[in-house]
Structures are given as structure tokens and as C-alpha cells.
Amino acid sequence: MTAPLHRGLRHLALRVMDLPRSRRFYEQILGMQVVWEPDPENVYFSSGVDNLALHQISKHELDSYESSKTQLLDHMGVILESPQAVDQMYREIMPSIESLGGRITKLPKLHRDGSYSFYFSDPDGNVIQALYEPAISRLTIGLSNED
């Protein structure tokens, strides 16, 4: 295959322990907007070009759930347009992230490849990287009626 047949990784689904808590976190920290809420156990968000699904772990599974010492998902990321935007996001979420169940896991840092980022976690411990990446941060996604 010379070119991918897909249009990119624009959908992520996470299972969460407390859906209302996770919903508040993603709405308030990442500004995600609800696009569909089919029932009390599922909510779908978008930032305009992507889709995030949160699914409540069932009561049966939650009663026997044992948190792993390691997370299989290393991290997910949100792309920012500049290092200054990374710093701005860091400053803006710092006052409220812990009250929403999250925490900062790595401070802002310039990486060897010229990218710049910091990491934070959601209420279930999923790690999110706020990332400026020179090769993709300035790209725009052209949407048309055919998308």
C-alpha cells in the first residue's frame, strides 16, 4: 500500500469508572462538546475534527474491576498550534485539573525532535499529551460535504 486508505486517527473510545465525572473532565479541561448521548452509559464528544467516546464500565465489571499497575494505552494526544499554545493550555488547566479528578504528570518540556509538550491524566488515569509537533501542528483538516 503506497497511501493509507483512511483519513487519520480521529476516533478514540475509552471505558471509564465514573461517567459523569469523566464527562465533566473532558468538557471542562479539553472543551469537548457532546454530539450524541444515546443512553446514561455512553457519551460521544467532538472538538470539531475528531470523536471521543466514553463508555461506563458496567456495574458487574466495576464490582470486580482491578486497576492494573500498568496502563496498556501509553497516552493519547491533542495537537496545539505552537509552543506558546502549549504553555497557555498548561496555565489554564492548572487551577482546576485536580478538582476535576485529573493531575499533571509531566511539566512542559522541549523534546529532542523540536516538539514541545506536557502530560496530564484524566480521572481514570488515562494520560493525555498536550503537544506541539512541528510537522503536524500547522496542518489544517479540510472538510467538505463529501467527508
Side-chain angles (χ1 to χ4, degrees), residues 1-9:
M1 180 183 334
T2 58
L5 299 174
H6 58 82
R7 293 184 171 195
L9 298 172

Side-chain angles (χ1 to χ4, degrees), residues 96-112:
S96 60
I97 192 165
E98 288 187 8
S99 67
L100 292 167
R103 67 183 183 90
I104 300 295
T105 60
K106 291 184 182 176
L107 298 175
K109 174 186 174 181
L110 179 62
H111 303 279
R112 294 178 292 179

